[in-house]
Amino acid sequence: MHLKLTVLGIGSASPQVGKNPSAFLVSFNNEHVLVDCGEGTQHRLLEKSIKISRLKTICISHLHGDHYFGLIGLLSSMNLSGRTEPMTLIGPEQLLDILNIQFLAANTSLGFELNFIKTDNSKSELLLEHKAFTIETIPLIHRVPCTGFKITEKAGRRHLIPEKLPKSFPVAFINLLKDGKDVTDPLTQEVFKSLEYTKRGEPAKVFSYCSDTAYNPVIVPIIEGSDLVYHEATFTKELEDRAAKTQHSTAEQAAQIAKDAKVKKMILGHLSSRYKTTDAHLEEAEKVSSNVEMAVQGAVYQI
Amino acid sequence: MHLKLTVLGIGSASPQVGKNPSAFLVSFNNEHVLVDCGEGTQHRLLEKSIKISRLKTICISHLHGDHYFGLIGLLSSMNLSGRTEPMTLIGPEQLLDILNIQFLAANTSLGFELNFIKTDNSKSELLLEHKAFTIETIPLIHRVPCTGFKITEKAGRRHLIPEKLPKSFPVAFINLLKDGKDVTDPLTQEVFKSLEYTKRGEPAKVFSYCSDTAYNPVIVPIIEGSDLVYHEATFTKELEDRAAKTQHSTAEQAAQIAKDAKVKKMILGHLSSRYKTTDAHLEEAEKVSSNVEMAVQGAVYQI
């Protein structure tokens, strides 16, 4: 299993030349999860030749436009391309009404099922249990209900230690052992213990997405030990008051979260359009944690 | 007065690399009218350094996404930039509900007035009488209610013939003459006739926008003599059946409209994404009218 993050957009609310608003693609082998979907996201996917037929789950953190105005266009294009495969959509309750009123006005009936799961920003919940990963929410503090998402890849299957096994051991038995189950031979009643005949598979990888939020240490235990975390850093610390008022974070505050949660790597984005470079953010964050860097639009992170 | 058309997007429903969906900017000296607003339009305006504060009227032809999904983002950005000047929005009735549900979800109250004028696709109506131009609707035939827009610049003021006038003729009198009014000197009772002391100003220029429509000769008398017409040409004539079924036009049909309406120039766009070049469309149209050319994204037409 390979978990990969593609950064499609790191802009904030005001449009900026060359920056897409928030959109992040989490890819497993053959399947994608899109996290937030600012205006223009479908064009970014197209430019990167990412097959939208392989996109099966979309998570929307909150209903500020720079995080979801591209969703209706993306879903409409999927429909136009003849999609029949269901789509799981995770987001705030009103999102479904917003989509439906637009589909109705266009006289569009979707040719695929939209399985909607609503978020609740008052707590962390497991919302999706997929065969390859799970999605849990991260409660955030913002001017409208907002959640982040913790996407945990399931641990790889256990690896067989072939030299230990009897010759011509049945394949069905091998698969059970790899799944961590012990096997009793029906003829001899001999018990083969999974722990004895297999070793641990690849550990589960975790990507945590912390969308717009005021400084919120409540999330530390939830994202603790994540392999990669995206965290917003709209301001630098001399605008800490403005960050508090608008319920955003400073680079220093984001880095403090990285440090306290002992994350392996944190990338920062959603900088206010007033900043023309990322230097001040990076300098400020590096003083707190050496595991923080600036997110780069278009970059791909192998987790 | 200079009337200018900037082509911001000529794409059709399926997203295509390097093509923006429909959006056209009609500019008078210091003021813009935006006609349709596909996803990404605010980014195209930004790239072209067009000041959105000078955009005071937006016309939406119909509620298929490639014609309006960029509107909510554009209005949100205007609000974020502190706009207080009213905006006139012209479009189908449900548009206002679609915007309002999204503003509500974002907890946004607009800092500027949105003067909404709803369109009625059953007839041609004068919807806006501005000091510099008028906007009338063009009834179109599509799968959802759809109108085009005829934007007529008002004729320039009459030009003074200075050598005919008495010396030290009062400026206030001159302005009345330029406005086409006769002036009576209060002392001498002498009458100065506007027609005698002025000559005709620049003639009114007309831009007609024919959005998604089946072949519709009803519009011929409405757009007759237009200086510039944009007309959709989704298909070429070997797909005429498909054009009829989906209520779109072929290049040949659009050119027939250009010919019958004796328009000075027609530009074609909204080509289906199945066409990789514009050659077939152009060849087909040129057989019917020599006044037809292909619209070019990013091009500016001085009318």
Side-chain angles (χ1 to χ4, degrees), chain B residues 83-104:
Chain B
R83 182 185 182 111
T84 55
E85 194 165 13
M87 165 68 77
T88 298
L89 176 65
I90 297 175
E93 188 167 13
Q94 306 105 303
L95 181 56
L96 203 56
D97 289 339
I98 291 173
L99 296 175
N100 283 337
I101 191 175
Q102 293 180 86
F103 289 137
L104 190 67

Side-chain angles (χ1 to χ4, degrees), chain B residues 210-213 230-236 248-255 266-272 275 281 284-285 292 294:
Chain B
C210 304
S211 185
D212 294 10
T213 186
Y230 166 85
H231 198 291
E232 73 118 302
T234 307
F235 298 105
T236 49
H248 282 295
S249 296
T250 67
E252 185 182 65
Q253 290 168 338
M266 177 181 277
I267 55 175
L268 302 181
H270 201 273
L271 273 58
S272 160
Y275 301 103
H281 283 75
E284 182 173 312
V292 180
M294 302 310 296

Side-chain angles (χ1 to χ4, degrees), chain A residues 193-233:
Chain A
K193 286 189 180 295
S194 172
L195 281 176
E196 196 173 326
Y197 293 96
T198 62
K199 54 189 176 189
R200 217 168 68 124
E202 288 79 20
K205 300 282 183 175
V206 180
F207 168 64
S208 295
Y209 176 76
C210 304
S211 184
D212 294 9
T213 186
Y215 175 59
N216 184 16
V218 165
I219 69 174
V220 167
I222 301 170
I223 68 168
E224 191 154 4
S226 291
D227 296 277
L228 182 65
V229 175
Y230 167 84
H231 198 290
E232 72 119 305

Side-chain angles (χ1 to χ4, degrees), chain A residues 13-17 39-43 46 63-64 68-70 72-73 76-77 80 97-98 101-102 105-107 144, chain B residues 13-17 39-43 46 63-64 68-70 72-73 76-77 80 94 97-98 101-102 105-107 144:
Chain A
S14 290
Q16 289 173 267
V17 173
E39 184 177 353
T41 298
Q42 63 168 328
H43 294 91
L46 193 67
L63 297 180
H64 280 157
Y68 88 98
F69 282 165
I72 181 75
S76 298
S77 295
L80 206 63
D97 289 339
I98 291 172
I101 191 175
Q102 293 180 88
N107 202 14
V144 294
Chain B
S14 290
Q16 289 173 269
V17 172
E39 184 177 352
T41 298
Q42 63 168 328
H43 293 93
L46 193 68
L63 297 181
H64 280 157
Y68 88 97
F69 281 165
I72 181 74
S76 299
S77 294
L80 205 64
Q94 306 105 303
D97 289 339
I98 291 173
I101 191 175
Q102 293 180 86
N107 202 13
V144 295

Side-chain angles (χ1 to χ4, degrees), chain A residues 11 128-129 271:
Chain A
L128 188 71
E129 173 97 43
L271 274 58

Side-chain angles (χ1 to χ4, degrees), chain B residues 224-266:
Chain B
E224 191 154 6
S226 292
D227 297 276
L228 182 64
V229 175
Y230 166 85
H231 198 291
E232 73 118 302
T234 307
F235 298 105
T236 49
K237 68 178 174 182
E238 78 270 17
L239 289 179
E240 197 169 307
D241 285 354
R242 180 150 182 82
K245 194 179 155 210
T246 58
Q247 303 201 314
H248 282 295
S249 296
T250 67
E252 185 182 65
Q253 290 168 338
Q256 190 62 46
I257 297 284
K259 185 180 178 187
D260 294 343
K262 300 175 192 70
V263 309
K264 299 206 178 64
K265 187 191 278 196
M266 177 181 277

Side-chain angles (χ1 to χ4, degrees), chain A residues 7-28:
Chain A
V7 179
L8 299 170
I10 53 165
S12 56
S14 290
Q16 289 173 267
V17 173
K19 270 196 190 170
N20 201 62
S22 294
F24 296 81
L25 193 76
V26 181
S27 305
F28 301 88

